[in-house]
Amino acid sequence: MGANFKTCLFGGFDRQDVVSFIEKTSRESRERIEELERENQTLQQKNQSMDSELRLMRQQFMDNAQQAGLAQQLSAQVEELTQKLTSLEEEAAALRCEAAEYRAMKDHIADIEISAHRRTEEFRAAAVARMHEIMDQQLEWCRQSNQQYQELSHQFAQKLQAAQQMISNPDLSGFERMTAQLQELGRQLDEPQDPPVDEA
């Protein structure tokens, strides 16, 4: 977007044109920043929802697991996934900090002294380029987060299925072998014993 400033009678640019251009640039920056803030809020709500679901699933694992070894294994896996989720939340917080920096830049725009059209255009081009960079980072973060969330859901589904199969089809062969051995021992105990032979 170019800016065509009127010139004054005594040289330089028309002050009202410059002020209007600054206000328009500030308004566009504010609208883009507000859009980023809405996207960040949506991502934060999704993160909170995933965190609640994760805590609920961890509690369900602990309640439903019948074997100590299986419960410990599932707990360790849930802890690992929780750490991954925390890392994603930290990345989102870093992006929100960058958006806050550009809110501060918006407040500072009104105080910038415009000395020539070239400086104004260069400044605007740099700001727009940085905004595009932040938006690209947000889009990439959303893509990666969506992929990781899908992988986490798939892993949870697999672990739940394995736990259900183990609980539904427990291995009782050890009890069966012990029962047979005890029955055999009882049979041997019930058999008559030969009297001892007197060697004298």
Side-chain angles (χ1 to χ4, degrees):
M1 179 183 68
N4 297 321
F5 296 134
K6 297 178 181 178
T7 58
C8 294
L9 181 60
F10 298 100
F13 296 113
D14 182 72
R15 181 177 179 82
Q16 184 59 42
D17 284 353
V18 173
V19 172
S20 298
F21 179 79
I22 293 175
E23 290 176 350
K24 184 175 182 181
T25 302
S26 177
R27 183 173 59 257
E28 291 176 351
S29 298
R30 181 173 60 255
E31 290 174 354
R32 295 188 181 187
I33 289 172
E34 289 174 353
E35 181 180 355
L36 284 175
E37 290 175 345
R38 287 193 297 271
E39 292 179 1
N40 283 335
Q41 183 66 26
T42 300
L43 291 174
Q44 184 177 9
Q45 292 175 355
K46 288 182 179 180
N47 285 341
Q48 292 174 352
S49 176
M50 288 294 296
D51 185 58
S52 298
E53 292 178 4
L54 190 61
R55 288 196 298 269
L56 178 60
M57 292 181 71
R58 178 167 53 185
Q59 185 61 42
Q60 290 176 347
F61 286 160
M62 297 301 298
D63 293 341
N64 295 331
Q66 300 297 323
Q67 300 180 8
L70 176 61
Q72 292 176 355
Q73 180 182 2
L74 293 176
S75 177
Q77 292 171 350
V78 169
E79 186 64 25
E80 180 181 358
L81 295 175
T82 301
Q83 293 176 357
K84 291 181 179 179
L85 181 59
T86 300
S87 177
L88 292 176
E89 291 175 344
E90 292 174 353
E91 293 177 5
L95 291 175
R96 287 195 296 272
C97 288
E98 292 188 7
E101 293 177 2
Y102 277 88
R103 287 197 300 271
M105 181 184 295
K106 172 204 67 176
D107 295 336
H108 186 63
I109 289 177
D111 299 331
I112 296 177
E113 179 182 359
I114 305 299
S115 61
H117 171 67
R118 181 184 59 82
R119 284 187 57 192
T120 302
E121 194 64 20
E122 289 177 353
F123 173 79
R124 179 189 174 280
V128 170
R130 182 59 179 155
M131 292 297 297
H132 279 297
E133 182 180 350
I134 291 177
M135 292 173 63
D136 291 341
Q137 292 175 356
Q138 287 277 10
L139 291 173
E140 178 62 18
W141 182 87
C142 289
R143 185 190 66 77
Q144 293 179 357
S145 297
N146 182 52
Q147 182 179 359
Q148 292 181 6
Y149 285 144
Q150 289 180 357
E151 292 176 356
L152 292 178
S153 298
H154 180 66
Q155 293 176 9
F156 273 125
Q158 289 181 335
K159 298 305 178 182
L160 281 174
Q161 183 179 4
Q164 290 174 353
Q165 290 178 352
M166 183 173 293
I167 293 172
S168 300
N169 301 308
D171 185 6
L172 302 178
S173 59
F175 292 105
E176 294 174 355
R177 288 193 300 271
M178 182 178 291
T179 300
Q181 292 173 357
L182 289 173
Q183 290 175 349
E184 177 63 20
L185 180 60
R187 185 184 63 77
Q188 293 176 1
L189 291 174
D190 292 337
E191 290 181 353
Q193 300 291 323
D194 295 334
V197 178
D198 187 2
E199 295 180 355

